[in-house]
Amino acid sequence: MTATVQTDTRTAPLPAEWRDFFALTKPRVMSLVVFTGLCGLLAAPGSIHPVLGFAAVLCIALGAGGAGALNMWWEADLDAKMKRTAGRPLPQGRLRPTDARDFGIALSVASVGTMGLAVNWLAAAILAVSILYYAVVYTIWLKPRTPQNIVIGGGAGAFPPLIGWVAVTGDITLMPVLLFAVIFMWTPPHFWALALFVRSDYAKAGIPMMPVVAGEAATRRQILLYSVALLAVSLAPWWIGGTGAIYGLTALVLSALFVALSLPVAFRQAGEGDRMRPEKRLFSYSVLYLFALFTALVVDRMLLP
Amino acid sequence: MTMTPEEEEQFKKARRGRNIALALVLAAFVALFYAITIVKMLD
């Protein structure tokens, strides 16, 4: 005789594993968020107890994870249409949408509450704003409506160093705002380089990415414009005397290389069957750029008085 | 709906994994709040 159990599987066709919940937090994005948040914390003047510093970075990570889960909950139908995202837990039917939503809300509330209780309420408030910015302003409002979605939505990813800094100082000054501005200016060329070589996917999902709406030539020009703006903004912390020469010279070299890699992307047209090498190179370099720039910021703070 | 023995086993395995993960997260959270409380009290 075959043993069977009576179970209602109509709402959950496949059993969700813990890995599916973990995948909702967008771990790869989170690694960049944790890194820039930690750098903001380490570069800030003053000090914080290691336990509280750890709690602050953990809260930034949990908040980003919560926002990522809410993003995946809202965009499950769009994700199903794109090759890059079709394997996510929700399009695959491994999770119930309401579970993903509740998980996102729980992570967000826990991260903001813990940040407020353990560190300070200004950092908690900025964390709450960053989560709402990503989950509501970017995901629900801007992404499906405007090709400028990446520009304005990039603000969400720019919050971590600001939060890390405020976790230590308890107030907002020009320096953490400039760190915010660096990531804000970095995001458009980073994502548009990606959007250029996964363009067909975004078009299929109906997302008005810049290459889809404004065309490839306009996107390429804007990549260069933002790279030049990034060069100026990345040097601003040095100009205002907020950092030393280690950061300043590193930023100069890294940002000049960013502009140099943007030039071939800006002044070419991709033909049929193009392998998009300059775009892929710029995208890969942009990730390295952010890690290197923020590392230089911390090293500068550690080595110089 | 009915489950085959294989599906039932998969279901139980996934549930066990989720429960263990949740237990670990809760334990880590308790430890974190304990450490935060001690630091705040010593401050």
Side-chain angles (χ1 to χ4, degrees):
Chain A
M1 195 175 85
T2 307
T4 57
V5 286
Q6 294 288 321
T7 312
D8 184 4
T9 57
R10 280 168 299 179
T11 48
L14 290 167
E17 295 188 17
W18 68 268
R19 288 177 193 83
D20 297 323
F21 284 95
F22 184 64
L24 285 179
T25 63
K26 299 192 175 182
R28 284 179 67 183
V29 175
M30 200 198 273
S31 64
L32 207 61
V33 164
V34 166
F35 178 75
T36 54
L38 178 66
C39 288
L41 187 135
L42 292 174
S47 63
I48 187 169
H49 191 284
V51 170
L52 302 184
F54 172 78
V57 174
L58 184 70
C59 289
I60 293 172
L62 290 181
L70 291 171
N71 168 277
M72 283 207 203
W73 161 65
W74 187 261
E75 293 188 340
D77 53 340
L78 294 179
D79 284 348
K81 294 176 188 163
M82 297 201 288
K83 198 171 68 183
R84 187 173 64 87
T85 52
R88 286 176 174 175
L90 283 169
Q92 288 287 309
R94 293 199 302 271
L95 266 176
R96 281 182 300 207
T98 49
D99 285 349
R101 180 199 63 196
D102 297 346
F103 179 66
I105 292 172
L107 278 185
S108 304
V109 171
S111 63
V112 172
T114 307
M115 182 72 98
L117 291 170
V119 185
N120 65 60
W121 286 102
L122 180 60
I126 302 170
L127 180 62
V129 168
S130 74
I131 295 168
L132 287 172
Y133 196 98
Y134 186 71
V136 180
V137 176
Y138 171 69
T139 302
I140 297 177
W141 185 34
L142 290 171
K143 193 172 175 183
R145 282 180 177 77
T146 164
Q148 293 297 325
N149 50 17
I150 288 305
V151 178
I152 305 158
F159 278 105
L162 175 63
I163 299 168
W165 188 288
V166 171
V168 176
T169 62
D171 62 357
I172 302 176
T173 53
L174 185 56
M175 258 302 284
V177 174
L178 287 175
L179 298 182
F180 176 97
V182 166
I183 301 185
F184 190 80
M185 289 299 171
W186 167 87
T187 308
H190 167 75
F191 269 107
W192 285 335
L194 174 74
L196 279 173
F197 60 84
V198 291
R199 181 181 164 180
S200 55
D201 251 9
Y202 281 120
K204 209 161 67 181
I207 298 172
M209 273 294 174
M210 186 68 85
V212 178
V213 179
E216 204 177 298
T219 308
R220 290 173 182 281
R221 274 197 307 275
Q222 297 230 24
I223 284 177
L224 181 61
L225 286 176
Y226 273 94
S227 302
V228 174
L230 178 63
L231 172 69
V233 170
S234 69
L235 291 172
W238 188 27
W239 284 335
I240 65 160
T243 68
I246 293 176
Y247 170 84
L249 294 173
T250 309
L252 182 64
V253 172
L254 287 172
S255 300
L257 190 53
F258 202 114
V259 174
L261 288 174
S262 299
L263 284 169
V265 174
F267 296 112
R268 82 183 200 101
Q269 263 191 317
E272 198 63 40
D274 198 294
R275 296 178 75 178
M276 307 294 267
R277 278 213 173 117
E279 293 75 15
K280 287 177 181 170
R281 196 168 52 204
L282 178 64
F283 177 75
S284 302
Y285 175 73
S286 67
V287 178
L288 178 73
Y289 170 88
L290 207 63
F291 274 104
L293 190 76
F294 276 83
T295 302
L297 182 77
V298 174
V299 170
D300 186 280
R301 164 102 175 96
M302 300 287 169
L303 294 184
L304 292 179
Chain B
M1 284 179 75
T2 55
M3 277 185 174
T4 64
E6 291 78 23
E7 284 171 338
E8 190 192 348
E9 187 54 38
Q10 195 188 1
F11 181 86
K12 283 182 177 172
K13 197 177 153 202
R15 187 172 57 188
R16 191 163 52 243
R18 283 204 312 268
N19 289 344
I20 291 170
L22 187 60
L24 290 174
V25 167
L26 286 175
F29 218 60
V30 168
L32 178 69
F33 264 79
Y34 176 76
I36 290 169
T37 307
I38 297 295
V39 168
K40 291 261 181 196
M41 278 165 53
L42 293 175
D43 211 12

